[in-house]
Amino acid sequence: MVNDSSSYETEEIKEMINDHRFHEGEALISTLMLKEPHAARPHNLMGILLEKEGKHSDAMKHFRAAYALDPSYEPAEKNLSTFGAFAIDRDYDYGEEPIKETKTVQRKEHALCI
């Protein structure tokens, strides 16, 4: 369950991301990570911010961290699944109402390093 303070912070971060105020959003999310070091929510939010910035690889690291911290946190599981797939329609899950966005996805092929 998300408390009122967490809900407010999530809404504020969502606005920053949607307004492309990524630097401000990253600063606020980093503060949340310090306040809640073992919480999945800040990592999930950072993953969304990075995905919106086009930093897919870094975003996936944060979605995986969020899932590792709390496998029952459904937004992290959903974002990990959504952004790990080759889907075009994306639902950003902030932990409340998912936001649907259609986006063209271009992937680079990466060689496996063993």
Side-chain angles (χ1 to χ4, degrees), residues 18-42:
N18 290 331
D19 292 342
H20 297 270
R21 294 172 18 226
F22 299 125
H23 187 71
E24 287 178 67
E26 187 172 344
L28 184 53
I29 294 167
S30 295
T31 300
L32 286 177
M33 287 180 181
L34 290 172
K35 280 177 32 181
E36 305 171 17
H38 304 292
R41 184 176 65 100

Side-chain angles (χ1 to χ4, degrees), residues 40-108:
R41 184 176 65 100
H43 285 281
N44 185 61
L45 293 169
M46 185 66 81
I48 293 169
L49 182 143
L50 292 167
E51 186 66 36
K52 290 276 226 171
E53 279 188 298
K55 298 176 181 176
H56 177 73
S57 180
D58 290 336
M60 292 303 296
K61 291 174 187 175
H62 283 278
F63 292 140
R64 284 191 292 272
Y67 183 78
L69 287 166
D70 185 357
S72 68
Y73 186 64
E74 291 179 14
E77 181 180 9
K78 182 173 182 187
N79 286 329
L80 188 58
S81 174
T82 299
F83 294 101
F86 291 97
I88 299 298
D89 290 332
R90 306 283 176 120
D91 289 335
Y92 292 93
D93 196 335
Y94 289 90
E96 297 161 353
E97 296 280 328
I99 295 176
K100 186 116 179 142
E101 183 175 286
T102 302
K103 171 181 174 180
T104 303
V105 177
Q106 295 179 348
R107 300 275 183 196
K108 293 180 183 176

